[in-house]
Amino acid sequence: MACAVLEAKRVPIPSIPSIEAPKEVSSGDGAIPGVPEQGSTVSITVVGASGDLAKKKIFPALFALFYEGCLPQHFTIFGYARSKMSDAELRAMISATLTCRIDKRENCSEKISQFLKRCFYQSGQYNSEDNFSELDKKLKDHEGGKVANRMFYLSVPPNVFIDVARCASRSASSSKGWTRVIVEKPFGRDSESSGELTSGLKEFLTEEQIYRIDHYLGKELVENLSILRFSNLVFEPLWSRQYIRNVQLIFSEDFGTEGRGGYFDNYGIIRDIMQNHLLQILALFAMEPPVSLDAEDIRNEKVKVLRSMRKLQLEDVVVGQYKSHIKGGVHYPGYTDDKTVPNNSLTPTFAAAALFVDNARWDGVPFLMKAGKALHNKLAEIRVQFRHVPGNLYKRSFGMDLDQATNELVIRVQPDEAVYLKINNKVPGLGMRLDRSNLNLLYSDRYSREIPDAYERLLLDAIEGERRLFIRSDELDAAWAIFTPLLKELEERKISPELYPYGSRGPVGAHYLAAKYNVRWGDMSSSEHSKS
């Protein structure tokens, strides 16, 4: 991801003056990375700097941006957490997780050294305005009188979001430049708690200052979804109920909670994956063509999709929970074997759901979601199964399995990023035998450049003030409105999840749910990924 290459892919968007800064001072929005605004600096504070997310994702992403020349010339990074730590100790912690791009490895150690010199630490409580005032003084020392733009990344539990927002806003916000706050999911547990969180944040921040991050929106294949559809004539006319019979959004992990059981048990797979990652992808997939690529135009269309969706009904959902299993002499523990999980927990580690968008384009088309832990593989993909060819002349060549005769577009988000289209083809020879073949774009074969991590893209967008991949408050409200009634019913009725063995394909009930809408899950073929 050379930064110049990344910028070349972006469509220029007219710079809009930010309401976060006084009109006489440039807010820095729309600035080209690596070409700093004269007399300005960017200070990035990672709140919760000693946590796993900061160590494994945020600091490495910031270094990758620096390595590729994507950060402004004048920038400072501060870690902030309750742990006592010196600047040197922070740098030692960060350096253990930094890696360099494979195409420029020769100057790796020099770049790491330069980056670490820009990293500092401030210890303090998350609810102490005095501690944030101390941070403010240190930031000013490093900003050296330049116009200060400040970004705070809240890598902390949701219960301290509002405290940090209050302290940062009152004691450490920029007086002349912009101030932005990146908030990590989960954004509440339901409509009510999400609304309370939004209201609490907006006591101290404007909507334009809040960047709600869903890292799945920063993944290369998810960002490519709109380009694939809107810039290829072969796809856009087919993108409707007339030609598409179902859409599948599939997420699976081949490991369990493993140390995160206590956290996960409070949320479950529906809140953790479906209500955000998969629903965001669905909205991008199903939206109408936006007026422009401006962030608000794109997010307006996503909100329309979410508001057009039916509330989820219990009969359209299957929940499961993985149990212990012995395979190859190895014992794999069940979900409730985790010591941090209650023995009688009903929290689902798997869910499948059928959703519907009640508008003219998608009326009657089932959008099937499936997400689970401790399954047989690690996978995230979008599958578009097209309708049967009317009066198909060759249907006898496929026998009785008409599903084999349908075209399917697969967008594999991870691993081994790829886009492929399943078509019908004649097997070479004198007979008339048909076979399904893949027209395949495997990214590792086509592109030698390493695909940037999602956090790199989203952090760069936040610095630039580009908001299209971040979630707006009304979008969040619409998303929770779809899932909250279901979640309350599951919990009030104490619905028991269907047990499935660790490492299996999940509950049998998921297949019955798909069959209810005359659909077969596309990821069930054992030869699927070997062919692609």
Side-chain angles (χ1 to χ4, degrees), residues 255-283:
F255 53 88
T257 52
E258 294 169 11
R260 292 179 66 245
Y263 164 83
F264 183 86
D265 199 65
N266 191 41
Y267 291 96
I269 199 74
I270 297 175
R271 292 183 176 94
D272 196 39
I273 302 296
M274 280 188 161
Q275 184 273 337
N276 39 69
H277 298 337
L278 297 188
L279 191 62
Q280 283 292 317
I281 294 173
L282 189 158

Side-chain angles (χ1 to χ4, degrees), residues 209-513:
Q209 290 179 288
I210 303 169
Y211 285 67
R212 299 174 189 84
I213 191 170
D214 183 334
H215 74 273
Y216 250 71
L217 294 181
K219 289 188 176 290
E220 187 71 32
L221 269 293
V222 174
E223 186 160 23
N224 193 38
L225 181 58
S226 298
I227 296 169
L228 187 71
R229 173 184 170 188
F230 295 127
S231 68
N232 291 289
L233 183 61
V234 69
F235 289 126
E236 173 55 19
L238 307 180
W239 222 259
S240 72
R241 64 188 297 273
Q242 186 175 357
Y243 295 103
I244 293 176
R245 66 185 178 115
N246 72 82
V247 180
Q248 301 176 22
L249 302 110
I250 298 168
F251 175 96
S252 66
E253 291 179 332
D254 56 1
F255 53 88
T257 52
E258 294 169 11
R260 292 179 66 245
Y263 164 83
F264 183 86
D265 199 65
N266 191 41
Y267 291 96
I269 199 74
I270 297 175
R271 292 183 176 94
D272 196 39
I273 302 296
M274 280 188 161
Q275 184 273 337
N276 39 69
H277 298 337
L278 297 188
L279 191 62
Q280 283 292 317
I281 294 173
L282 189 158
L284 275 174
F285 179 95
M287 71 180 184
E288 294 297 314
V291 174
S292 74
L293 292 177
D294 180 81
E296 296 313 304
D297 289 334
I298 292 174
R299 297 197 293 184
N300 287 343
E301 295 305 329
K302 287 170 65 184
V303 170
K304 289 178 186 176
V305 171
L306 296 174
R307 287 179 174 169
S308 299
M309 294 181 67
R310 296 180 202 169
K311 304 290 188 296
L312 258 177
Q313 303 298 316
L314 190 58
E315 58 265 28
D316 284 331
V317 176
V318 171
V319 292
Q321 186 184 96
Y322 67 88
K323 62 181 181 179
S324 61
H325 181 57
I326 297 176
K327 185 177 181 181
V330 179
H331 178 266
Y332 296 93
Y335 176 67
T336 54
D337 294 333
D338 188 325
K339 293 179 180 178
T340 61
V341 174
N343 289 331
N344 59 348
S345 174
L346 299 179
T347 300
T349 61
F350 175 98
L355 298 100
F356 293 87
V357 181
D358 289 334
N359 63 17
R361 182 182 291 270
W362 298 111
D363 183 39
V365 176
F367 286 78
L368 294 179
M369 277 187 190
K370 182 169 65 170
K373 290 183 173 293
L375 296 172
H376 69 295
N377 63 0
K378 180 179 180 180
L379 182 72
E381 64 185 14
I382 308 159
R383 288 178 168 266
V384 186
Q385 294 186 347
F386 293 93
R387 296 192 180 279
H388 302 293
V389 176
N392 191 339
L393 295 172
Y394 298 99
K395 60 184 177 182
R396 291 183 181 178
S397 301
F398 286 102
M400 297 302 293
D401 191 355
L402 288 178
D403 281 334
Q404 279 195 333
T406 60
N407 301 123
E408 186 175 21
L409 174 67
V410 182
I411 301 166
R412 191 191 303 147
V413 178
Q414 67 178 28
D416 304 324
E417 294 87 349
V419 178
Y420 56 97
L421 178 65
K422 295 186 175 185
I423 63 166
N424 301 320
N425 188 55
K426 179 183 177 296
V427 176
L430 298 177
M432 179 56 69
R433 189 162 63 89
L434 271 63
D435 183 33
R436 293 187 87 188
S437 303
N438 293 340
L439 298 180
N440 186 2
L441 168 59
L442 185 63
Y443 271 51
S444 60
D445 289 346
R446 176 65 179 85
Y447 303 108
S448 58
R449 189 172 297 278
E450 185 179 349
I451 294 176
D453 184 78
Y455 280 92
E456 296 170 35
R457 186 183 313 281
L458 293 168
L459 282 165
L460 181 58
D461 280 354
I463 292 169
E464 292 184 321
E466 169 56 71
R467 304 173 58 82
R468 65 195 169 87
L469 296 179
F470 294 89
I471 301 169
R472 206 166 61 188
S473 60
D474 59 340
E475 196 177 339
L476 188 60
D477 293 343
W480 275 119
I482 297 166
F483 281 92
T484 293
L486 168 75
L487 289 165
K488 286 190 174 180
E489 188 173 4
L490 283 171
E491 289 165 3
E492 288 172 0
R493 293 177 56 182
K494 297 187 177 349
I495 302 296
S496 296
E498 180 184 340
L499 298 179
Y500 61 95
Y502 191 118
S504 68
R505 294 176 181 266
V508 175
H511 300 282
Y512 288 113
L513 175 65

